Amino acid sequence: MTTPALLPLSGRRIPPLNLGPPSFPHHRATLRLSEKFILLLILSAFITLCFGAFFFLPDSSKHKRFDLGLEDVLIPHVDAGKGAKNPGVFLIHGPDEHRHREEEERLRNKIRADHEKALEEAKEKLRKSREEIRAEIQTEKNKVVQEMKIKENKPLPPVPIPNLVGISGGDPEDNDIREKREKIKEMMKHAWDNYRTYGWGHNELRPIARKGHSPNIFGSSQMGATIVDALDTLYIMGLHAEFLDGQRWIEDNLDFSVNSEVSVFEVNIRFIGGLLAAYYLSGEEIFKIKAVQLAEKLLPAFNTPTGIPWAMVNLKSGVGRNWGWASAGSSILAEFGTLHMEFIHLSYLTGDLIYYKKVMHIRKLLQKMDRPNGLYPNYLNPRTGRWGQYHTSVGGLGDSFYEYLLKAWLMSDKTDHEARKMYDDAIEAIEKHLIKKSRGGLVFIGEWKNGHLEKKMGHLACFAGGMFALGADGSRTDKAGHYLELGAEIARTCHESYDRTALKLGPESFKFDGAVEAVAVRQAEKYYILRPEVIETYWYLWRFTHDPRYRQWGWEAALAIEKYCRVSGGFSGVKDVYSSTPTHDDVQQSFFLAETLKHGQI
């Protein structure tokens, strides 16, 4: 059984915690100064010094000198018996006038000498060759880089790692179940080994073309998304040699100081989530250090008028923006609402409350807002703080926001009552307005769009069956049995969406219109990209009920993936689950290793 202390979270295992001590944030500076820029700086200094004496010499009627024995300090003059112009400055009263003139003359001479010295230095710089200037620039760059390395090597504060339960429970006694688990492990090896051979260091793999692949959510850089995302699955399956291989790549190659625009949400759940999970499982400090380095790079995304983060951020410049297709420049609920748990853990591990404050600010803002019919719309404008289009979904654009509310409560050892209340309120509104039963008796979750219900359910929404089961304990007015049953009904509907295809794999979305139930209608909705949500729900229902049907359904899905998605170079999604001779999309998604195969070990 899964304990509340150890939850699969977006494919991760994250323990409950308390906040603890200070952080050493990471920066990596790279100076790029052209020779022209250096010359401009020299000439600017020269001009300033030429005219500095004229413009900045002190006026004896307004200033006097105060000698601290360290440097000359100019302070406002205040006559005896009058109040200070600026509270907090030192006051000097009644100095000798002759001494005052001598000090002014000494100050003029000092400025003149400094000016002449700077002028000579400027002339000396201008007499140097281009190669000499370039060498000086390189020396300064090396000096700064070395200083930054010293700063980077400062260790993060030590904090206790919670005792993790259930990651080494041994093999099941049933021979049949043991063999099935070994098969899933072999599939993981096939996916990993081919990525290692053909896509190592790239974000994902094209298993048919046998080369690396990177979707735009990871920007243009090779950040090894599959490596980071898969680490916890490797560890849990006992593939420790592969885990160490990934760890070495991260130590030597994972660098976030790149000029690359990434999805804040995707990088958080796959990279920060993956690194934190690997740290808690293995105790290796490198994973914690890298997670904090990346988190520092994401913080500029929160620099909006409302504190609701941008969807995208450039890891080097810190410039953020939203997706062009999102409603009126809005941020997306499932994206800014799926940062909470990772950021809470970052504050725990670093002692820096900035991460905690960022996500709690989002929560407080959402609590103050009116919600149409009690529902959270999927779009929120980060500039105005107003909802965008009134579109509510428990699938894409909304899904993991609700998951994180529930798991924030569980992660806090059920003390975050605010998160639990927000979850309960949201689920009640969802059940009232979005959950319906078809004519054929299938319970589904529709989408609310501008005042009416669209009778369509996405594959992504199928995770909700497991969520309802997970949240049953602790629900209001003793409705635990009701929500466990609701989770089972959602699991049955999603199983039907698989069972009604030629490949026994589910489409991206399916409708409930008239005679059409749990079937995709549009060609653009018939694909399967190795998604985990249905198998994840089977996993939860098996853990909570031990009903053997969920293990059987999970095994059926694994066999279908093996038969239709496996290729010699890995695993690929398919473009039409209703065709008995499917065409592959030639992408092995990182979440296939991180989540689908992990939950496949039911």
Side-chain angles (χ1 to χ4, degrees), residues 361-379:
H361 175 78
I362 294 173
R363 181 188 288 184
K364 297 299 183 186
L365 188 148
L366 290 175
Q367 286 179 314
K368 294 176 182 178
M369 298 186 67
D370 292 330
R371 299 187 299 278
N373 296 316
L375 299 170
Y376 288 92
N378 291 335
Y379 300 107

Side-chain angles (χ1 to χ4, degrees), residues 438-443 492-507 510-520 526 538 556 576-579:
S438 71
R439 292 178 182 177
L442 296 178
V443 175
R492 184 169 79 91
T493 298
C494 293
H495 176 258
E496 286 297 316
S497 77
Y498 274 51
D499 202 44
R500 298 181 184 190
T501 72
L503 306 186
K504 304 303 178 185
L505 292 170
F510 41 94
K511 291 199 171 184
F512 297 86
D513 285 338
V516 176
E517 293 194 359
V519 174
K526 295 181 179 181
Y538 297 160
E556 289 172 2
D576 187 348
V577 294
Y578 299 97
S579 170

Side-chain angles (χ1 to χ4, degrees), residues 53-79:
F54 178 78
F55 286 110
F56 298 112
L57 275 178
D59 183 341
S60 62
S61 66
K62 295 181 179 179
H63 294 89
K64 296 197 175 183
R65 176 182 172 275
F66 179 60
D67 190 356
L68 292 177
L70 298 174
E71 59 184 359
D72 291 317
V73 179
L74 298 179
I75 62 170
H77 170 65
V78 181
D79 290 334

Side-chain angles (χ1 to χ4, degrees), residues 7 28 56 59 87 91 94 105 268 273 283 289 291 301 314 331 355 415 488 532:
L7 302 171
R28 186 183 300 272
F56 298 112
D59 183 341
L91 305 181
E105 183 62 28
N268 176 65
I289 292 168
N314 186 294
S331 298
Y355 307 106
T415 61

